[in-house]
Amino acid sequence: MGKVVDSSIFRVKMFDVEKYERARCKVCGADFWSKIPRDNCNDAPCADYTFFDIKLGTSPLTVKEVRDKFLRFFNERGHTIIDPHPVVARWRDDLYLTIASIVVFQPHVTSGLVPPPANPLVIAQPCIRLEDIDSVGYTFGRHLTNFIMGGHHAFNYPNERVYFTHETVEYAKEFFTKEIGIPEEELTFKESWWEGGGNAGPCFEVAVGGLEIATLVFMMYDVTPEGYREMPLKIVDTGYGIERIAWLTQKTPTAFHAIYGYLVPKYHKLLNVSEPPEDLLKVAVKYVGRLNPKNPKLFELLKKNVSIELGMSLEEVSAYLDRTIKLYALLDYVKTAMLLLSDGVVPSNSGEGYLARLVIRRILRLLNVLGSDATLIHDLFDNQIKYWVDLYPQVRGKEAYIHDVLDHEVRKFNESLSKAPSLIRRYVVKGAKGLSEDELIELYDSHGIPPEVIADLSRELGVEVSVPEDFYNKLAARHSRAPVKKVVKSKIPEYVVTEVAGLPATKALFHEDPYVKEFTAEVVKVIKNYVVLDRTAFYPEGGGQEGDSGVLIVDGRKFKVVDTQKVGSVVIHVLEDSMPADYVGRRVVGVIDWDRRFNLMRHHTATHIILGVARKVLGSHVWQAGAEKTPLRGRLDITHYKSVSEEELKQIEELANKVIVEGREVKVHYMPKYEAEKRYGFVLYEGGVVLEPVIRVVEIEGLDAEACFGTHLKNTREVGALKIVKVERIADGVVRFEYVAGTQVSAYAQELESKIKKAEEVVGGDLNLRIPSLIKELETLKNKLNTYRKLYFNELKKSMYSELRSLGSVRYLVKYLADVEEELLKEVLQELTAENPDAVLIVATPRKAGGVNLEISEGRKASEVIKANELFKQVLTVFKGRGGGKADHATGYVEVENHVELIEVLESLLKNVLKA
RNA sequence: GGGCCGGUAGCUCAGCCUGGAAGAGCGCUCGGCUUGCAACCGAGAGGUCCCGGGUUCAAGUCCCGGCCGGUCCA
């Protein structure tokens, strides 16, 4: 299905009533609505920035004031105010960042699975978008990596309409004209199309004086691999640019001045960047609307225009602007990184942590380019934290963590930079005449050395390197398309899934009482060895807990259950052998393998304990990055930015055992989604996202609360004991714990004991005593061996030397040695040839596969007369074999059993060569 | 999750393309020079060439698999 835009949706009532005209932009060709006639759509880059000249009916507003006005305006019109969510979208597994306010409600609300927390509602949501990261600064604040999106949303169900296009446009007009005081004739509504987070729909882009200040989306489609599919819900999804509106009212030369206030001069001072005169910025910003960040030539043109208009030299304009826009980018990047770190992101080389590292690396690179020390980053953050802590309360209390992480990142960055000179030298030498584009890209892609650093360093080496303008595009081309997301393969065959899909939900006895070991039920469906019952105590695989095994008994006949899975809320028992199809309707007794299940439960509850304890010991940036529970052991990956110290590990294990001994209650309660999120926060979704209105919360009092499907113990005491058996860093920023609980602790100890016992049997006694003495013994033997080896070495050398016979300009030796260590022989030959440049030494030794190994070794002078490899070739004309080498050394094998014959042949060959 | 780069002496690395006897600088030990230090000169010790297979007469080098680290991109 293709895009279906019925343009009648854009004919809203207000345009009729207020006499708006529909027109087409002469630059971009888009259709738009305006009260007065216009040539263009009034939006950058089709129009210059003219909003500075518009007289507004309000005084300048700060970001916070705009936000509050926005929330109040919609609240007064029946919208419930919703608290903003984190900038890291932990409630979603298809998205790392909160890129829009609607993301907060996707996909659980937009799909219709869960009702919205209120309807209609309004939210001021901090968002992060990194796709325009390269443009930040150049456009004086039109592009930012973080911003607050003011969104008012209405969710229209087929049987419950709230409001849609007409009211949305009316609200926009009213808000902008009455609250912000924009004259109505300055407003334009451009027809467009929006897509994001799996949904799409037509939209209006609202602009004033070249600046887009809001997008009004009418979300109507799901984006599927097959195309657009109409949604049952019709959703009003609006995005008001809070920062842009503040800029508009303040009329500062850049959005950065409006957003960051006193931080702008402060950063100029800290970074030692001169502030451009105000008229320079004011002149420049007019042209900024026309900038296309992908075309750097436009920026050069801008500078030229400014220099002409001000009568200032181009060099002076460049000197001001080039550095200042980098400073603007820093303001934005630092705030984005601050928000990411405040939400507990741990920088890493993969996953969401990479996004944090990406931003921090940009900051460090800009500091480098501006000639500041990397450690200045701490000051940059401190100032922003102070400035923003009121508007973003989540930053409070995170200062220590942020600085610790920054320290770590600065160190890593410096380490990779310190490797740069030698790496570049290697490439420069290789390439001779400089660095090719490919090499430039490889240096960045594989070693993280930014192109500007490469250019600097190679210049020092006397090689000019030019960085191509489209460097990052070329880099992108190197990374092939992102692979299609792997579809998790069901362990149940497709035909079973479809047959089972329509069945009523299986009653989950394992949830009602996780201690049920035996139960009776009725057979509902049989497909070969796949059996569905009306109720079951068999736990189906999920939430990182393996499915149960056990036995089903029908009329005394036993069927072994090897696995349990679920399709939707239907539980499928996987049998070893098929069950007769006519068993449907019969009574069945189910018995689960309780030993196995109880071990699973202990490891599952233990996993929650360790996670809770790790957060306490290491910090609130610790999130679950993966987990697995088997009957034998548990495994938990957490995010953490350094390796866990011995001390911390001990603390975690001790605290976990304390929690076990204390006997804390493990409570399971069902709770409305929004209430649970409010009470516990998004730590709930450690184990995965839950798309249901009511969620099952497993809570260990005062330690941990997670949305979890698994079976848990009633009390932590039942875990018995816990031992962490392994800790490793599986990726930068991710630490893996492996641990055993309950009876497995003893099993683990037994295993250790038997290992030690076996080892002690081998060494004969206490390991702690025997190993040092064995090492000593080994040393003594080594020394002795060395003594004898040296003796033999000298003997062999001496005897070989005495056997040298003169022949022309060389002295030679041909010898068969039956028992000699290969290494030792080589050493003797090397020394002899080094000391006797005229020596030609040929030694044959026995070869396991038959025949002999032949080694020809020559001194420097001798090798000029007779080339060892050529001599070998001649040997091979007489005997079968293979071999080769170089002038002073050749090796190989020869198929000959009679050594005397071999030696005779060699001697005659030698003589022949020397004669010729 | 994927691409790329790397793993050789205590450290920084060369050698790998094109297979043929394991290298350099720094550091270390000893000696010389010097009032002493630094520098300098001389000698020496120091190696699981990440691991496992394969190809080959021969593998640090080529091929396959794995481990570890780095880095870029989702």
Side-chain angles (χ1 to χ4, degrees), chain A residues 581-841:
Chain A
D582 59 6
Y583 273 30
V584 172
R586 293 206 200 183
R587 249 174 70 92
V588 58
V589 175
V591 183
I592 65 173
D593 179 345
W594 180 249
D595 254 11
R596 185 183 130 86
R597 156 66 98 62
F598 196 46
N599 272 327
L600 279 167
M601 284 165 71
R602 281 199 283 228
H603 284 125
H604 201 153
T605 302
T607 302
H608 286 221
I609 293 174
I610 293 217
L611 181 58
V613 168
R615 287 176 72 89
K616 281 219 156 81
V617 173
L618 303 174
S620 61
H621 59 276
V622 167
W623 294 80
Q624 177 172 319
E628 193 183 274
K629 303 107 195 176
T630 72
L632 296 178
R633 60 175 56 190
R635 202 181 77 193
L636 173 70
D637 301 339
I638 60 161
T639 57
H640 186 52
Y641 55 100
K642 42 189 179 189
S643 47
V644 176
S645 70
E646 284 288 320
E647 189 49 44
E648 288 165 332
L649 181 64
K650 226 176 115 190
Q651 233 180 311
I652 290 171
E653 194 171 294
E654 276 170 11
L655 211 55
N657 276 294
K658 197 167 157 244
V659 168
I660 291 167
V661 172
E662 278 169 2
R664 297 202 199 183
E665 214 184 311
V666 182
K667 286 188 212 149
V668 175
H669 30 237
Y670 290 84
M671 235 186 200
K673 183 183 170 77
Y674 300 116
E675 196 188 321
E677 285 174 1
K678 206 163 194 170
R679 168 125 45 124
Y680 302 109
F682 294 98
V683 287
L684 271 177
Y685 301 129
E686 293 278 11
V689 175
V690 184
L691 298 178
E692 275 150 42
V694 174
I695 58 181
R696 184 175 190 264
V697 179
V698 176
E699 182 178 12
I700 300 173
E701 217 163 17
L703 186 71
D704 179 70
E706 297 177 39
C708 182
F709 187 76
T711 57
H712 280 272
L713 305 167
K714 280 195 177 120
N715 189 295
T716 57
R717 196 179 290 122
E718 292 175 70
V719 176
L722 188 146
K723 176 82 190 86
I724 297 171
V725 298
K726 196 172 175 186
V727 181
E728 60 181 333
R729 235 178 51 123
I730 58 162
D732 195 19
V734 184
V735 178
R736 170 168 294 172
F737 291 96
E738 288 184 39
Y739 41 89
V740 290
T743 50
Q744 285 305 311
V745 175
S746 138
Y748 175 72
Q750 278 173 15
E751 202 188 304
L752 277 186
E753 269 183 1
S754 89
K755 260 190 204 161
I756 294 172
K757 217 169 167 183
K758 263 183 207 152
E760 291 193 331
E761 271 166 26
V762 172
V763 300
D766 189 329
L767 281 186
N768 290 317
L769 299 174
R770 283 298 289 151
I771 288 181
S773 78
L774 278 175
I775 289 174
K776 213 171 171 185
E777 209 174 309
L778 190 68
E779 286 296 315
T780 317
L781 286 173
K782 254 194 204 165
N783 286 339
K784 265 187 196 162
L785 181 65
N786 257 334
T787 313
Y788 288 115
R789 195 178 186 273
K790 242 174 227 165
L791 272 177
Y792 182 57
F793 182 94
N794 288 333
E795 278 309 307
L796 185 62
K797 192 175 154 191
K798 214 190 282 172
S799 84
M800 285 176 86
Y801 181 79
S802 70
E803 287 171 47
L804 281 174
R805 274 182 277 168
S806 290
L807 183 68
S809 62
V810 306
R811 284 180 294 167
Y812 81 97
L813 162 75
V814 182
K815 199 175 171 64
Y816 177 83
L817 284 172
D819 295 300
V820 66
E821 183 205 333
E822 198 185 341
E823 272 307 304
L824 184 118
L825 173 64
K826 281 195 176 184
E827 282 170 38
V828 171
L829 293 177
Q830 262 179 88
E831 272 199 32
L832 272 175
T833 50
E835 289 164 13
N836 305 285
D838 61 338
V840 177
L841 310 172

Side-chain angles (χ1 to χ4, degrees), chain A residues 284 351 535 846:
Chain A
R535 40 188 248 145

Side-chain angles (χ1 to χ4, degrees), chain A residues 529 547-550 560-564 573-577 596:
Chain A
N529 60 324
D548 280 336
S549 58
K560 208 169 158 192
V561 178
V562 292
D563 189 17
T564 310
H573 305 79
V574 183
L575 306 187
E576 196 173 47
D577 304 305
R596 185 183 130 86

Side-chain angles (χ1 to χ4, degrees), chain A residues 436-447:
Chain A
S436 71
E437 220 167 83
D438 274 351
E439 286 170 325
L440 214 57
I441 290 174
E442 187 175 311
L443 272 167
Y444 177 69
D445 203 17
S446 304
H447 305 285

Side-chain angles (χ1 to χ4, degrees), chain A residues 262-278:
Chain A
Y262 72 78
L263 284 180
V264 175
K266 182 87 196 180
Y267 266 45
H268 273 288
K269 215 170 149 190
L270 282 172
L271 292 158
N272 197 20
V273 172
S274 322
E275 279 192 77
E278 201 169 333

